[in-house]
Amino acid sequence: MEHMLDVTQSLIEYTTLICITGVSISLIILLYRAIKGPSNPDRAVALDIIGINLMALAGLIAILLVTTKFNDVILLIGILLFIGTVALAKFLEKGVIIERDMD
Amino acid sequence: MTRINDIILRTTTTLIAFILLGFSIYLFFAGHNAPGGGFIGGLMTSAAFVLMYMAYGFRALQKILPINFRYVIPVGLIIALATGIGSFIFGEPFLSQTYAYFQLPVLGKTELATALLFDLGVYLTVIGVTMTIILTIANDRGEAN
């Protein structure tokens, strides 16, 4: 039984490490797109997906550190990411973020 | 210029703004023994307000939410100061805090601390400062008419 628990624990650890490596590689590729991107919408989409990958990274590191205190942070990154992306999209589309009169 | 139809943004905003406000209240009350507290709760509440301002415009939100956020800052500061001064009544040093256990109707036995009132002051001040900054920056065009 003890042996089984050890095997499971090391399995989770190695899986998390492999996933962190994959997310890190995808972050580097996205960083290339955010820097090189020919147009501004390309950079906006790249930043959006960088934020999603950060959520994944925070979740994986929470698994690695065996804590539940990061769950609020993951939700927080998602919310701020959504608001930031909406603001960026409104700026690219209309030039103003908060309009005075929309009717 | 053609009119832009942003019904998807408005419909998602009506749903997500409530989730945001609920999450901010959860963060505000969880601050005692979990990550969270007045500062991040106030920031989340103002994030919900900013999302509603982005989706519905300035004029409509003034009708829905008729609060001048400049007056929220002194209210929060006065609450925070009053919790500090309130400890003088019991002959304790400035900003002393205490707690007690109460039997609440739904929640059962709950620990209520006076630090929550100080946190409420922080919460209101953060909402006031953030919304004042954002709305002051946003008001640059059409202010004269």
Side-chain angles (χ1 to χ4, degrees):
Chain A
M1 200 63 204
E2 290 281 317
H3 180 68
M4 201 68 190
L5 276 178
D6 283 346
V7 168
T8 317
Q9 198 165 9
S10 59
L11 199 65
I12 287 175
E13 208 163 296
Y14 286 128
T15 315
T16 314
L17 282 175
I18 291 167
C19 291
I20 286 175
T21 318
V23 171
S24 308
I25 292 169
S26 111
L27 267 174
I28 291 168
I29 298 170
L30 282 166
L31 208 58
Y32 169 75
R33 178 49 68 203
I35 294 169
K36 188 74 190 300
S39 65
N40 276 335
D42 283 334
R43 295 192 181 95
V45 172
L47 282 178
D48 194 18
I49 306 172
I50 281 175
I52 294 170
N53 277 315
L54 276 182
M55 287 168 73
L57 209 56
L60 288 169
I61 287 176
I63 293 172
L64 205 61
L65 295 178
V66 197
T67 175
T68 57
K69 304 285 183 194
F70 282 171
N71 295 356
D72 290 345
V73 178
I74 298 167
L75 193 52
L76 213 62
I77 296 173
I79 288 165
L80 294 181
L81 192 67
F82 174 69
I83 291 171
T85 309
V86 167
L88 209 55
K90 262 200 101 170
F91 181 72
L92 290 174
E93 180 86 16
K94 301 184 183 180
V96 287
I97 292 174
I98 297 176
E99 285 146 286
R100 281 201 71 74
D101 211 351
M102 292 191 77
D103 294 325
Chain B
M1 181 180 156
T2 57
R3 285 196 47 193
I4 295 165
N5 187 4
D6 46 3
I7 187 168
I8 294 178
L9 175 64
R10 289 186 173 197
T11 313
T12 48
T13 298
T14 52
L15 189 65
I16 288 174
F18 277 106
I19 297 173
L20 276 176
L21 289 172
F23 182 56
S24 72
I25 291 170
Y26 160 72
L27 278 177
F28 172 64
F29 282 113
H32 199 66
N33 36 23
F39 184 76
I40 195 72
L43 276 183
M44 273 296 100
T45 310
S46 37
F49 289 161
V50 167
L51 184 63
M52 288 195 280
Y53 268 102
M54 282 195 295
Y56 289 99
F58 194 79
R59 192 76 49 86
L61 252 285
Q62 289 295 75
K63 232 177 278 174
I64 298 168
L65 207 69
I67 303 169
N68 191 350
F69 286 103
R70 262 158 241 184
Y71 296 137
V72 178
I73 306 173
V75 168
L77 288 176
I78 285 169
I79 289 174
L81 188 66
T83 59
I85 290 176
S87 60
F88 287 148
I89 299 172
F90 303 100
E92 296 288 327
F94 186 59
L95 279 176
S96 310
Q97 54 152 327
T98 180
Y99 64 94
Y101 290 95
F102 292 98
Q103 200 72 33
L104 293 184
V106 181
L107 300 171
K109 189 182 176 192
T110 314
E111 178 191 355
L112 292 181
T114 53
L116 187 74
L117 292 172
F118 185 80
D119 234 15
L120 185 68
V122 175
Y123 180 78
L124 290 176
T125 312
V126 168
I127 290 177
V129 170
T130 316
M131 293 312 292
T132 304
I133 290 172
I134 288 171
L135 294 182
T136 312
I137 292 172
N139 273 352
D140 54 354
R141 217 169 47 169
E143 185 65 29
N145 48 21

